[in-house]
Amino acid sequence: MERTVKFNDLGIIDYKEAWDKQEELFNQIVNEKKETRNNESTDEKAMNYLLFCEHPHVFTLGKSGQQNNLLINDEFLRKINATYYKINRGGDITYHGPGQIVGYPIIDLEQFDLQVKKYIYHLEEAIIQTLQHYNIEADRIESATGVWLDKDKPDKARKICAIGVRASKFVTMHGFAFNINTDLKYFDYINPCGFTNKGVTSLQKELGKTIDISETKEIVKENLRKIFNMNLKE
């Protein structure tokens, strides 16, 4: 069964503005689910959403994260034109910035017959299949959410996509950050996802050229559509 998902590319948007938008849609879905359950005469399903965007330079710390994984102070944050937020997703610290595809699925997992673990697996799979399009082999690391290159080589393992989600009442928020033409020096200012012994990379770095991010967005979107069996509507 296909599930209807409304897609919106927000372009470059301030992190807090996008977070507020997610919260608004999250609460809308939760309320629609509650109304449906209270109304026995309807079998309508709550609308689901998929947001794409890019953010200005920002560091975000998840609920289980350690403050000391941000390696710079407020003054240096201002110097590099970055902001910092403690947020309500899982995971530790990560970076968002221009040249990165950030995806926020706000969906009812019950409609998709998914548990959180399988949901994250599907997100990873969409990125893995996208990288296959560019002839890049990627995989998962059992103890580390996200998508990795050279996972079996401890001295070379590097993350190309971070994933951190929140799920409450079976509705999701937050999502993935896929490095395309990302300025990787910003990762030097943190211990990415809490790791001190693993690297970070981008599609641009791996291929040695600037990538058409709009093309990559379409590939990611199509892979998400297929893997989740979505009926995507613009």
Side-chain angles (χ1 to χ4, degrees):
M1 180 183 71
E2 284 191 334
R3 293 83 169 181
T4 300
V5 179
K6 186 173 182 180
F7 174 79
N8 190 4
D9 189 335
L10 303 175
I12 298 177
I13 183 172
D14 176 76
Y15 185 83
K16 184 62 166 60
E17 186 179 347
W19 188 9
D20 289 345
K21 180 67 173 174
Q22 287 186 76
E23 292 278 6
E24 176 188 335
L25 296 175
F26 171 88
N27 290 327
Q28 177 183 313
I29 293 174
V30 169
N31 290 334
E32 287 177 358
K33 285 182 67 175
K34 188 183 300 183
E35 290 176 10
T36 298
R37 284 175 177 158
N38 291 338
N39 185 355
E40 297 178 358
S41 64
T42 182
D43 58 358
E44 289 185 9
K45 302 292 186 184
M47 178 63 73
N48 300 281
Y49 298 90
L50 173 61
L51 307 179
F52 277 8
C53 64
E54 295 177 59
H55 293 306
H57 304 298
V58 60
F59 300 102
T60 65
L61 183 71
K63 292 185 296 183
S64 58
Q66 300 296 317
Q67 174 77 35
N68 59 9
N69 282 322
L70 178 67
L71 306 177
I72 56 178
N73 59 27
D74 290 346
E75 182 181 350
F76 197 84
L77 272 172
R78 289 190 293 272
K79 184 178 178 181
I80 61 173
N81 296 315
T83 54
Y84 169 70
Y85 291 97
K86 293 181 180 179
I87 63 174
N88 59 351
R89 60 160 171 79
D92 207 291
I93 197 165
T94 196
Y95 160 76
H96 300 308
Q100 186 184 68
I101 299 174
V102 178
Y104 296 132
I106 305 151
I107 64 173
D108 178 5
L109 293 178
E110 290 183 309
Q111 285 188 38
F112 288 82
D113 298 318
L114 291 173
Q115 298 295 321
V116 173
K117 186 175 181 180
K118 188 67 173 179
Y119 166 67
I120 291 173
Y121 186 94
H122 280 356
L123 292 180
E124 292 168 335
E125 187 62 26
I127 304 303
I128 289 170
Q129 290 188 19
T130 299
L131 290 166
Q132 288 173 355
H133 173 86
Y134 294 97
N135 297 313
I136 294 175
E137 184 177 345
D139 209 339
R140 303 168 180 84
I141 293 179
E142 188 172 339
S143 60
T145 302
V147 177
W148 299 79
L149 308 187
D150 287 330
K151 70 160 190 171
D152 296 322
K153 301 175 182 177
D155 58 332
K156 291 186 177 179
R158 55 208 183 276
K159 179 179 278 191
I160 197 166
C161 180
I163 293 176
V165 304
R166 176 193 178 208
S168 178
K169 298 180 174 60
F170 296 99
V171 179
T172 65
M173 277 183 58
H174 303 291
F176 64 86
F178 183 16
N179 298 328
I180 309 301
N181 300 312
T182 315
D183 186 347
L184 297 177
K185 78 168 182 277
Y186 278 80
F187 287 99
D188 294 338
Y189 306 134
I190 60 174
N191 293 323
C193 301
F195 291 106
T196 58
N197 61 343
K198 290 182 173 63
V200 179
T201 191
S202 67
L203 197 53
Q204 179 185 40
K205 182 176 181 180
E206 296 300 319
L207 296 179
K209 63 180 182 181
T210 301
I211 307 302
D212 180 352
I213 194 168
S214 60
E215 175 188 278
T216 310
K217 282 181 179 181
E218 289 302 314
I219 298 167
V220 174
K221 186 168 73 167
E222 175 60 15
N223 285 329
L224 288 168
R225 186 196 66 78
K226 289 187 301 183
I227 290 165
F228 284 89
N229 197 21
M230 295 174 171
N231 174 22
L232 278 179
K233 294 189 174 182
E234 301 290 332

